[in-house]
Amino acid sequence: MIEQLLAYGWWVAAVFIVFGFVALVKGADWLVDGASAIAKHFGITDLVIGLTVVAFGTSMPEFVVNMVSVAEGSTDLAITNVLGSNIINTFVILGLTAVVYPIASRKRSRDFDIPMSIIAGVLVLIFVTIQLPFGECGKGVGRAGGIVLLAMFGYFLYNTFRHTKDHPKESEDLVVESKEIPTRRAIALILGGFIGLCVGGELIVKSAVDIATRMGVSEAIIGLTIVALGTSLPELATSVIAAAKHNSDIALGNVVGSNIFNVFFVLATSATIRPLPAYDGIELDAGMVALGSIIVWMAVKTDKKRKVQRWAGALLLLVYAGYLTYRLLNV
């Protein structure tokens, strides 16, 4: 059905992309609201809901797009969706946020979260540049690599829960005030959310492949740009609004947390299901993921106020502009 409609022209694919992102974002919102309400009915605390349901829910757009891409055999789209989202999250979203208002950082972010995001980028870079003896797909993220990343995700969750237990006052921003929703409506929201996510993911992947074919460019380029930007829109809106309200420390936590989930959960799960071989230029893309986290970490570590100042935000934007120009000129 979708393939038949796409045959009418590129404009159909463009419309499908837009509708796909709307369905994806709305579906994720419904799923989080419904699941949070059900969890609340079972007596689960708002803090645990924030650490689990809401945290996983914010990564659902990337996760669903990756699952559909893997099922369709579009492995380049699956891996670039994650790499591209992390690049945009760090260089564009944090860059714009810092330019609007300097981003404050918390000790937990400086000492654990940002270093974990650096490790995530470095691990992916190792997998895609070195021919590992246990790699089923040569250079790339194979099942063994996916398992390694999932193990890191388990460690991240364990450390996060332990920290919130030992330092409850530092975790107040993770507490989510769950909406009081009747059980039937919560179940309906969950079902509607799943449908929205599935429909949105299918529209995005098939339309992205169609656009890449019509433009004569690789799926990797479409994944790094259109798809990655679309799945990062929630983080962009949240971070810029937080900065405008001078709550920029929330922006840093949201972006770094999203980057960690994208690699250790989304990419790891995708690679475990289906090995993700390397594509042309993947070394640069993976290197950018690590570089972005390093720049942010150095910015907060060297600043007396432990903030990502406006100059660092401008630097992130300039580096991204140079990277994007190079990638587009060398497709």
PDB file of all heavy atoms in Angstrom, residues 258-291:
ATOM      1  N   SER A 258      19.641  10.960  26.528  1.00  0.00           N
ATOM      2  CA  SER A 258      19.140  10.458  25.248  1.00  0.00           C
ATOM      3  C   SER A 258      20.259   9.823  24.433  1.00  0.00           C
ATOM      4  O   SER A 258      20.072   8.762  23.816  1.00  0.00           O
ATOM      5  CB  SER A 258      18.499  11.606  24.450  1.00  0.00           C
ATOM      6  OG  SER A 258      18.073  11.164  23.176  1.00  0.00           O
ATOM      7  N   ASN A 259      21.435  10.447  24.423  1.00  0.00           N
ATOM      8  CA  ASN A 259      22.576   9.901  23.676  1.00  0.00           C
ATOM      9  C   ASN A 259      22.993   8.530  24.214  1.00  0.00           C
ATOM     10  O   ASN A 259      23.322   7.626  23.444  1.00  0.00           O
ATOM     11  CB  ASN A 259      23.762  10.863  23.746  1.00  0.00           C
ATOM     12  CG  ASN A 259      23.563  12.096  22.887  1.00  0.00           C
ATOM     13  OD1 ASN A 259      22.606  12.181  22.126  1.00  0.00           O
ATOM     14  ND2 ASN A 259      24.471  13.051  23.000  1.00  0.00           N
ATOM     15  N   ILE A 260      22.996   8.393  25.531  1.00  0.00           N
ATOM     16  CA  ILE A 260      23.366   7.120  26.149  1.00  0.00           C
ATOM     17  C   ILE A 260      22.347   6.036  25.793  1.00  0.00           C
ATOM     18  O   ILE A 260      22.704   4.916  25.406  1.00  0.00           O
ATOM     19  CB  ILE A 260      23.485   7.275  27.677  1.00  0.00           C
ATOM     20  CG1 ILE A 260      24.689   8.154  28.022  1.00  0.00           C
ATOM     21  CG2 ILE A 260      23.613   5.909  28.353  1.00  0.00           C
ATOM     22  CD1 ILE A 260      24.782   8.534  29.482  1.00  0.00           C
ATOM     23  N   PHE A 261      21.066   6.362  25.901  1.00  0.00           N
ATOM     24  CA  PHE A 261      20.014   5.403  25.547  1.00  0.00           C
ATOM     25  C   PHE A 261      20.099   5.009  24.073  1.00  0.00           C
ATOM     26  O   PHE A 261      19.907   3.835  23.728  1.00  0.00           O
ATOM     27  CB  PHE A 261      18.639   6.009  25.848  1.00  0.00           C
ATOM     28  CG  PHE A 261      18.093   5.658  27.208  1.00  0.00           C
ATOM     29  CD1 PHE A 261      18.668   6.184  28.359  1.00  0.00           C
ATOM     30  CD2 PHE A 261      17.012   4.804  27.348  1.00  0.00           C
ATOM     31  CE1 PHE A 261      18.180   5.861  29.617  1.00  0.00           C
ATOM     32  CE2 PHE A 261      16.512   4.478  28.597  1.00  0.00           C
ATOM     33  CZ  PHE A 261      17.095   5.011  29.739  1.00  0.00           C
ATOM     34  N   ASN A 262      20.367   5.975  23.214  1.00  0.00           N
ATOM     35  CA  ASN A 262      20.417   5.695  21.776  1.00  0.00           C
ATOM     36  C   ASN A 262      21.472   4.647  21.429  1.00  0.00           C
ATOM     37  O   ASN A 262      21.232   3.751  20.618  1.00  0.00           O
ATOM     38  CB  ASN A 262      20.694   6.980  20.995  1.00  0.00           C
ATOM     39  CG  ASN A 262      19.484   7.877  20.887  1.00  0.00           C
ATOM     40  OD1 ASN A 262      18.357   7.464  21.187  1.00  0.00           O
ATOM     41  ND2 ASN A 262      19.698   9.113  20.470  1.00  0.00           N
ATOM     42  N   VAL A 263      22.655   4.765  22.024  1.00  0.00           N
ATOM     43  CA  VAL A 263      23.744   3.832  21.700  1.00  0.00           C
ATOM     44  C   VAL A 263      23.611   2.532  22.477  1.00  0.00           C
ATOM     45  O   VAL A 263      23.606   1.437  21.896  1.00  0.00           O
ATOM     46  CB  VAL A 263      25.120   4.471  21.983  1.00  0.00           C
ATOM     47  CG1 VAL A 263      26.237   3.439  21.791  1.00  0.00           C
ATOM     48  CG2 VAL A 263      25.355   5.657  21.054  1.00  0.00           C
ATOM     49  N   PHE A 264      23.494   2.632  23.807  1.00  0.00           N
ATOM     50  CA  PHE A 264      23.516   1.438  24.652  1.00  0.00           C
ATOM     51  C   PHE A 264      22.213   0.634  24.613  1.00  0.00           C
ATOM     52  O   PHE A 264      22.216  -0.543  24.981  1.00  0.00           O
ATOM     53  CB  PHE A 264      23.833   1.812  26.096  1.00  0.00           C
ATOM     54  CG  PHE A 264      25.257   2.251  26.311  1.00  0.00           C
ATOM     55  CD1 PHE A 264      25.578   3.195  27.274  1.00  0.00           C
ATOM     56  CD2 PHE A 264      26.289   1.723  25.546  1.00  0.00           C
ATOM     57  CE1 PHE A 264      26.893   3.594  27.480  1.00  0.00           C
ATOM     58  CE2 PHE A 264      27.598   2.119  25.741  1.00  0.00           C
ATOM     59  CZ  PHE A 264      27.904   3.048  26.701  1.00  0.00           C
ATOM     60  N   PHE A 265      21.112   1.258  24.186  1.00  0.00           N
ATOM     61  CA  PHE A 265      19.841   0.527  24.121  1.00  0.00           C
ATOM     62  C   PHE A 265      19.347   0.353  22.688  1.00  0.00           C
ATOM     63  O   PHE A 265      19.161  -0.777  22.217  1.00  0.00           O
ATOM     64  CB  PHE A 265      18.783   1.256  24.959  1.00  0.00           C
ATOM     65  CG  PHE A 265      17.399   0.678  24.836  1.00  0.00           C
ATOM     66  CD1 PHE A 265      17.147  -0.639  25.197  1.00  0.00           C
ATOM     67  CD2 PHE A 265      16.350   1.445  24.358  1.00  0.00           C
ATOM     68  CE1 PHE A 265      15.862  -1.177  25.077  1.00  0.00           C
ATOM     69  CE2 PHE A 265      15.068   0.918  24.239  1.00  0.00           C
ATOM     70  CZ  PHE A 265      14.823  -0.400  24.599  1.00  0.00           C
ATOM     71  N   VAL A 266      19.153   1.469  21.970  1.00  0.00           N
ATOM     72  CA  VAL A 266      18.583   1.397  20.617  1.00  0.00           C
ATOM     73  C   VAL A 266      19.535   0.709  19.636  1.00  0.00           C
ATOM     74  O   VAL A 266      19.168  -0.273  18.981  1.00  0.00           O
ATOM     75  CB  VAL A 266      18.217   2.802  20.102  1.00  0.00           C
ATOM     76  CG1 VAL A 266      17.664   2.722  18.677  1.00  0.00           C
ATOM     77  CG2 VAL A 266      17.194   3.460  21.021  1.00  0.00           C
ATOM     78  N   LEU A 267      20.761   1.227  19.538  1.00  0.00           N
ATOM     79  CA  LEU A 267      21.728   0.640  18.607  1.00  0.00           C
ATOM     80  C   LEU A 267      22.091  -0.781  19.019  1.00  0.00           C
ATOM     81  O   LEU A 267      22.219  -1.677  18.181  1.00  0.00           O
ATOM     82  CB  LEU A 267      22.985   1.509  18.539  1.00  0.00           C
ATOM     83  CG  LEU A 267      24.046   1.087  17.523  1.00  0.00           C
ATOM     84  CD1 LEU A 267      23.490   1.160  16.111  1.00  0.00           C
ATOM     85  CD2 LEU A 267      25.291   1.958  17.643  1.00  0.00           C
ATOM     86  N   ALA A 268      22.254  -1.000  20.325  1.00  0.00           N
ATOM     87  CA  ALA A 268      22.617  -2.325  20.830  1.00  0.00           C
ATOM     88  C   ALA A 268      21.550  -3.361  20.499  1.00  0.00           C
ATOM     89  O   ALA A 268      21.859  -4.462  20.033  1.00  0.00           O
ATOM     90  CB  ALA A 268      22.837  -2.264  22.340  1.00  0.00           C
ATOM     91  N   THR A 269      20.294  -3.007  20.731  1.00  0.00           N
ATOM     92  CA  THR A 269      19.199  -3.933  20.426  1.00  0.00           C
ATOM     93  C   THR A 269      19.124  -4.229  18.933  1.00  0.00           C
ATOM     94  O   THR A 269      18.942  -5.382  18.524  1.00  0.00           O
ATOM     95  CB  THR A 269      17.857  -3.353  20.912  1.00  0.00           C
ATOM     96  OG1 THR A 269      17.946  -3.033  22.300  1.00  0.00           O
ATOM     97  CG2 THR A 269      16.729  -4.345  20.698  1.00  0.00           C
ATOM     98  N   SER A 270      19.285  -3.194  18.112  1.00  0.00           N
ATOM     99  CA  SER A 270      19.248  -3.367  16.665  1.00  0.00           C
ATOM    100  C   SER A 270      20.339  -4.312  16.190  1.00  0.00           C
ATOM    101  O   SER A 270      20.095  -5.220  15.388  1.00  0.00           O
ATOM    102  CB  SER A 270      19.405  -2.006  15.967  1.00  0.00           C
ATOM    103  OG  SER A 270      18.438  -1.082  16.418  1.00  0.00           O
ATOM    104  N   ALA A 271      21.568  -4.116  16.694  1.00  0.00           N
ATOM    105  CA  ALA A 271      22.701  -4.941  16.274  1.00  0.00           C
ATOM    106  C   ALA A 271      22.566  -6.372  16.772  1.00  0.00           C
ATOM    107  O   ALA A 271      23.018  -7.318  16.109  1.00  0.00           O
ATOM    108  CB  ALA A 271      24.007  -4.337  16.782  1.00  0.00           C
ATOM    109  N   THR A 272      21.968  -6.548  17.941  1.00  0.00           N
ATOM    110  CA  THR A 272      21.768  -7.894  18.475  1.00  0.00           C
ATOM    111  C   THR A 272      20.777  -8.677  17.616  1.00  0.00           C
ATOM    112  O   THR A 272      20.929  -9.882  17.402  1.00  0.00           O
ATOM    113  CB  THR A 272      21.265  -7.836  19.933  1.00  0.00           C
ATOM    114  OG1 THR A 272      22.203  -7.083  20.715  1.00  0.00           O
ATOM    115  CG2 THR A 272      21.131  -9.224  20.521  1.00  0.00           C
ATOM    116  N   ILE A 273      19.763  -7.978  17.113  1.00  0.00           N
ATOM    117  CA  ILE A 273      18.773  -8.620  16.242  1.00  0.00           C
ATOM    118  C   ILE A 273      19.351  -8.890  14.854  1.00  0.00           C
ATOM    119  O   ILE A 273      19.192  -9.977  14.289  1.00  0.00           O
ATOM    120  CB  ILE A 273      17.518  -7.738  16.120  1.00  0.00           C
ATOM    121  CG1 ILE A 273      16.819  -7.632  17.483  1.00  0.00           C
ATOM    122  CG2 ILE A 273      16.553  -8.298  15.070  1.00  0.00           C
ATOM    123  CD1 ILE A 273      15.677  -6.656  17.506  1.00  0.00           C
ATOM    124  N   ARG A 274      20.042  -7.893  14.316  1.00  0.00           N
ATOM    125  CA  ARG A 274      20.607  -8.017  12.971  1.00  0.00           C
ATOM    126  C   ARG A 274      21.912  -7.236  12.903  1.00  0.00           C
ATOM    127  O   ARG A 274      21.922  -6.028  13.158  1.00  0.00           O
ATOM    128  CB  ARG A 274      19.624  -7.477  11.935  1.00  0.00           C
ATOM    129  CG  ARG A 274      20.054  -7.677  10.494  1.00  0.00           C
ATOM    130  CD  ARG A 274      18.923  -7.286   9.565  1.00  0.00           C
ATOM    131  NE  ARG A 274      19.120  -7.809   8.226  1.00  0.00           N
ATOM    132  CZ  ARG A 274      18.149  -8.026   7.358  1.00  0.00           C
ATOM    133  NH1 ARG A 274      16.899  -7.758   7.706  1.00  0.00           N
ATOM    134  NH2 ARG A 274      18.389  -8.489   6.156  1.00  0.00           N
ATOM    135  N   PRO A 275      23.040  -7.882  12.587  1.00  0.00           N
ATOM    136  CA  PRO A 275      24.330  -7.177  12.506  1.00  0.00           C
ATOM    137  C   PRO A 275      24.251  -5.965  11.584  1.00  0.00           C
ATOM    138  O   PRO A 275      23.611  -6.013  10.525  1.00  0.00           O
ATOM    139  CB  PRO A 275      25.268  -8.248  11.938  1.00  0.00           C
ATOM    140  CG  PRO A 275      24.660  -9.533  12.366  1.00  0.00           C
ATOM    141  CD  PRO A 275      23.173  -9.321  12.295  1.00  0.00           C
ATOM    142  N   LEU A 276      24.906  -4.873  11.998  1.00  0.00           N
ATOM    143  CA  LEU A 276      24.877  -3.624  11.240  1.00  0.00           C
ATOM    144  C   LEU A 276      26.261  -3.372  10.632  1.00  0.00           C
ATOM    145  O   LEU A 276      27.164  -2.891  11.322  1.00  0.00           O
ATOM    146  CB  LEU A 276      24.485  -2.460  12.157  1.00  0.00           C
ATOM    147  CG  LEU A 276      23.179  -2.625  12.947  1.00  0.00           C
ATOM    148  CD1 LEU A 276      22.973  -1.455  13.886  1.00  0.00           C
ATOM    149  CD2 LEU A 276      21.992  -2.783  12.002  1.00  0.00           C
ATOM    150  N   PRO A 277      26.456  -3.709   9.356  1.00  0.00           N
ATOM    151  CA  PRO A 277      27.768  -3.523   8.734  1.00  0.00           C
ATOM    152  C   PRO A 277      28.097  -2.055   8.533  1.00  0.00           C
ATOM    153  O   PRO A 277      27.213  -1.195   8.491  1.00  0.00           O
ATOM    154  CB  PRO A 277      27.628  -4.251   7.392  1.00  0.00           C
ATOM    155  CG  PRO A 277      26.160  -4.217   7.102  1.00  0.00           C
ATOM    156  CD  PRO A 277      25.478  -4.318   8.431  1.00  0.00           C
ATOM    157  N   ALA A 278      29.398  -1.778   8.402  1.00  0.00           N
ATOM    158  CA  ALA A 278      29.849  -0.399   8.196  1.00  0.00           C
ATOM    159  C   ALA A 278      29.482   0.080   6.798  1.00  0.00           C
ATOM    160  O   ALA A 278      29.288  -0.712   5.873  1.00  0.00           O
ATOM    161  CB  ALA A 278      31.362  -0.314   8.410  1.00  0.00           C
ATOM    162  N   TYR A 279      29.381   1.388   6.627  1.00  0.00           N
ATOM    163  CA  TYR A 279      29.119   2.013   5.331  1.00  0.00           C
ATOM    164  C   TYR A 279      30.190   3.067   5.099  1.00  0.00           C
ATOM    165  O   TYR A 279      30.970   3.396   6.004  1.00  0.00           O
ATOM    166  CB  TYR A 279      27.720   2.648   5.306  1.00  0.00           C
ATOM    167  CG  TYR A 279      27.514   3.677   6.407  1.00  0.00           C
ATOM    168  CD1 TYR A 279      27.917   5.001   6.252  1.00  0.00           C
ATOM    169  CD2 TYR A 279      26.951   3.304   7.625  1.00  0.00           C
ATOM    170  CE1 TYR A 279      27.755   5.930   7.264  1.00  0.00           C
ATOM    171  CE2 TYR A 279      26.790   4.234   8.648  1.00  0.00           C
ATOM    172  CZ  TYR A 279      27.192   5.536   8.454  1.00  0.00           C
ATOM    173  OH  TYR A 279      27.038   6.454   9.455  1.00  0.00           O
ATOM    174  N   ASP A 280      30.261   3.616   3.907  1.00  0.00           N
ATOM    175  CA  ASP A 280      31.270   4.627   3.587  1.00  0.00           C
ATOM    176  C   ASP A 280      31.078   5.876   4.452  1.00  0.00           C
ATOM    177  O   ASP A 280      29.990   6.460   4.472  1.00  0.00           O
ATOM    178  CB  ASP A 280      31.180   5.021   2.103  1.00  0.00           C
ATOM    179  CG  ASP A 280      31.648   3.910   1.182  1.00  0.00           C
ATOM    180  OD1 ASP A 280      32.383   3.032   1.660  1.00  0.00           O
ATOM    181  OD2 ASP A 280      31.260   3.917   0.000  1.00  0.00           O
ATOM    182  N   GLY A 281      32.114   6.257   5.163  1.00  0.00           N
ATOM    183  CA  GLY A 281      32.059   7.463   5.983  1.00  0.00           C
ATOM    184  C   GLY A 281      31.632   7.228   7.418  1.00  0.00           C
ATOM    185  O   GLY A 281      31.524   8.184   8.197  1.00  0.00           O
ATOM    186  N   ILE A 282      31.406   5.978   7.794  1.00  0.00           N
ATOM    187  CA  ILE A 282      30.914   5.711   9.146  1.00  0.00           C
ATOM    188  C   ILE A 282      31.949   6.064  10.212  1.00  0.00           C
ATOM    189  O   ILE A 282      31.598   6.445  11.330  1.00  0.00           O
ATOM    190  CB  ILE A 282      30.490   4.223   9.287  1.00  0.00           C
ATOM    191  CG1 ILE A 282      29.710   4.033  10.598  1.00  0.00           C
ATOM    192  CG2 ILE A 282      31.702   3.292   9.229  1.00  0.00           C
ATOM    193  CD1 ILE A 282      29.094   2.654  10.742  1.00  0.00           C
ATOM    194  N   GLU A 283      33.242   5.965   9.866  1.00  0.00           N
ATOM    195  CA  GLU A 283      34.278   6.301  10.844  1.00  0.00           C
ATOM    196  C   GLU A 283      34.165   7.760  11.273  1.00  0.00           C
ATOM    197  O   GLU A 283      34.284   8.094  12.460  1.00  0.00           O
ATOM    198  CB  GLU A 283      35.675   6.035  10.283  1.00  0.00           C
ATOM    199  CG  GLU A 283      35.967   4.573   9.988  1.00  0.00           C
ATOM    200  CD  GLU A 283      35.535   4.161   8.592  1.00  0.00           C
ATOM    201  OE1 GLU A 283      34.864   4.982   7.909  1.00  0.00           O
ATOM    202  OE2 GLU A 283      35.857   3.032   8.180  1.00  0.00           O
ATOM    203  N   LEU A 284      33.912   8.643  10.302  1.00  0.00           N
ATOM    204  CA  LEU A 284      33.758  10.066  10.613  1.00  0.00           C
ATOM    205  C   LEU A 284      32.517  10.292  11.468  1.00  0.00           C
ATOM    206  O   LEU A 284      32.559  11.046  12.451  1.00  0.00           O
ATOM    207  CB  LEU A 284      33.658  10.884   9.321  1.00  0.00           C
ATOM    208  CG  LEU A 284      33.344  12.384   9.483  1.00  0.00           C
ATOM    209  CD1 LEU A 284      34.428  13.075  10.294  1.00  0.00           C
ATOM    210  CD2 LEU A 284      33.182  13.048   8.118  1.00  0.00           C
ATOM    211  N   ASP A 285      31.419   9.633  11.123  1.00  0.00           N
ATOM    212  CA  ASP A 285      30.171   9.819  11.868  1.00  0.00           C
ATOM    213  C   ASP A 285      30.314   9.338  13.311  1.00  0.00           C
ATOM    214  O   ASP A 285      29.888  10.022  14.246  1.00  0.00           O
ATOM    215  CB  ASP A 285      29.036   9.066  11.167  1.00  0.00           C
ATOM    216  CG  ASP A 285      28.813   9.544   9.740  1.00  0.00           C
ATOM    217  OD1 ASP A 285      29.143  10.708   9.468  1.00  0.00           O
ATOM    218  OD2 ASP A 285      28.324   8.750   8.924  1.00  0.00           O
ATOM    219  N   ALA A 286      30.911   8.162  13.495  1.00  0.00           N
ATOM    220  CA  ALA A 286      31.113   7.641  14.849  1.00  0.00           C
ATOM    221  C   ALA A 286      32.089   8.521  15.624  1.00  0.00           C
ATOM    222  O   ALA A 286      31.910   8.761  16.830  1.00  0.00           O
ATOM    223  CB  ALA A 286      31.632   6.205  14.787  1.00  0.00           C
ATOM    224  N   GLY A 287      33.105   9.021  14.933  1.00  0.00           N
ATOM    225  CA  GLY A 287      34.064   9.919  15.572  1.00  0.00           C
ATOM    226  C   GLY A 287      33.409  11.208  16.036  1.00  0.00           C
ATOM    227  O   GLY A 287      33.749  11.747  17.099  1.00  0.00           O
ATOM    228  N   MET A 288      32.436  11.698  15.261  1.00  0.00           N
ATOM    229  CA  MET A 288      31.723  12.916  15.648  1.00  0.00           C
ATOM    230  C   MET A 288      30.893  12.702  16.911  1.00  0.00           C
ATOM    231  O   MET A 288      30.770  13.607  17.745  1.00  0.00           O
ATOM    232  CB  MET A 288      30.821  13.375  14.499  1.00  0.00           C
ATOM    233  CG  MET A 288      31.559  14.052  13.357  1.00  0.00           C
ATOM    234  SD  MET A 288      32.220  15.680  13.835  1.00  0.00           S
ATOM    235  CE  MET A 288      30.704  16.632  13.965  1.00  0.00           C
ATOM    236  N   VAL A 289      30.337  11.502  17.053  1.00  0.00           N
ATOM    237  CA  VAL A 289      29.558  11.196  18.256  1.00  0.00           C
ATOM    238  C   VAL A 289      30.449  11.313  19.495  1.00  0.00           C
ATOM    239  O   VAL A 289      30.075  11.926  20.500  1.00  0.00           O
ATOM    240  CB  VAL A 289      28.945   9.782  18.161  1.00  0.00           C
ATOM    241  CG1 VAL A 289      28.306   9.388  19.502  1.00  0.00           C
ATOM    242  CG2 VAL A 289      27.896   9.726  17.049  1.00  0.00           C
ATOM    243  N   ALA A 290      31.640  10.723  19.409  1.00  0.00           N
ATOM    244  CA  ALA A 290      32.578  10.794  20.536  1.00  0.00           C
ATOM    245  C   ALA A 290      33.093  12.217  20.725  1.00  0.00           C
ATOM    246  O   ALA A 290      33.183  12.707  21.864  1.00  0.00           O
ATOM    247  CB  ALA A 290      33.745   9.835  20.299  1.00  0.00           C
ATOM    248  N   LEU A 291      33.414  12.903  19.632  1.00  0.00           N
ATOM    249  CA  LEU A 291      33.964  14.256  19.708  1.00  0.00           C
ATOM    250  C   LEU A 291      32.997  15.225  20.371  1.00  0.00           C
ATOM    251  O   LEU A 291      33.398  16.060  21.197  1.00  0.00           O
ATOM    252  CB  LEU A 291      34.323  14.758  18.308  1.00  0.00           C
ATOM    253  CG  LEU A 291      34.835  16.203  18.213  1.00  0.00           C
ATOM    254  CD1 LEU A 291      36.141  16.355  18.984  1.00  0.00           C
ATOM    255  CD2 LEU A 291      35.017  16.625  16.754  1.00  0.00           C
TER     256      LEU A 291
END
